[in-house]
Amino acid sequence: MVAGEDQAGRIEQLRAQLVEQPDSEVFIELAELLVQSGQTDEAVRVCESHLGFHPDAARGHLAYGKALVGQGQLEEGLQALERACMLASSGAELLEEIGRFLLEAGHPGPAHLYIDKALEKAPDKESLLELSGAVEDEAGGDFGRQSTEKLTLG
């Protein structure tokens, strides 16, 4: 995506747009960039302030979930990620993105559930098969059942 100074400039540009148009969907890109740059507290604030204007924005809930997980609020983050899945025209891509994010964030148990659901939709997708193997390697077969009991993945 955007790197270094370009990313900081883009963040400032999006902030300015939101001041002028608080109901704009640019909050999604802003939140995503904030998460990528490690500014999860601000990403959470942006999402909480603007999701009310766009409650059906799957990518907004996705950014919110990533920000919450980044803050260490796994359960709340998983709820937001689940909402994103319910709102999206659930193809394998969103499920794979969530699974990859959770694995990279150190949560192989929940990642496993999203990747398995994605594999149900696209069983031959090579990137999913590789990701599934990475989850198994990371978890060593223990998929953190305690933290995933409430996950329903509709």
Side-chain angles (χ1 to χ4, degrees):
M1 287 217 146
V2 185
E5 291 180 23
D6 290 340
Q7 186 178 41
R10 182 67 181 149
I11 287 172
E12 290 309 313
Q13 181 183 32
L14 293 169
R15 284 182 180 137
Q17 283 182 276
L18 276 180
V19 168
E20 291 178 23
Q21 292 182 295
D23 62 342
S24 170
E25 287 191 14
V26 299
F27 85 92
I28 297 169
E29 183 182 353
L30 175 58
E32 290 171 345
L33 288 173
L34 290 168
V35 168
Q36 289 172 14
S37 66
Q39 300 176 58
T40 55
D41 290 346
E42 187 173 352
V44 166
R45 282 192 297 275
V46 166
C47 290
E48 288 176 346
S49 297
H50 298 281
L51 270 171
F53 293 111
H54 304 282
D56 295 332
R59 300 255 359 137
H61 289 278
L62 177 64
Y64 186 44
K66 287 180 175 182
L68 289 167
V69 170
Q71 283 187 320
Q73 298 182 55
L74 181 60
E75 187 172 326
E76 295 85 350
L78 289 173
Q79 289 172 3
L81 295 172
E82 186 64 18
R83 175 102 173 116
C85 287
M86 289 187 301
L87 291 169
S89 57
S90 272
E93 294 78 22
L94 179 66
L95 295 166
E96 179 178 5
E97 181 178 346
I98 293 170
R100 185 175 307 282
F101 167 77
L102 289 169
L103 179 61
E104 291 170 358
H107 302 288
H112 169 70
L113 295 176
Y114 284 95
I115 294 163
D116 280 357
K117 190 70 172 176
L119 280 167
E120 289 175 16
K121 296 174 182 285
D124 298 325
K125 188 172 181 188
E126 190 171 321
S127 62
L128 280 171
L129 295 170
E130 290 172 7
L131 192 56
S132 179
V135 168
E136 289 179 25
D137 290 345
E138 178 78 20
D142 176 18
F143 294 110
R145 285 167 183 77
Q146 286 184 327
S147 63
T148 59
E149 287 175 352
K150 296 180 184 177
L151 217 55
T152 58
L153 291 182

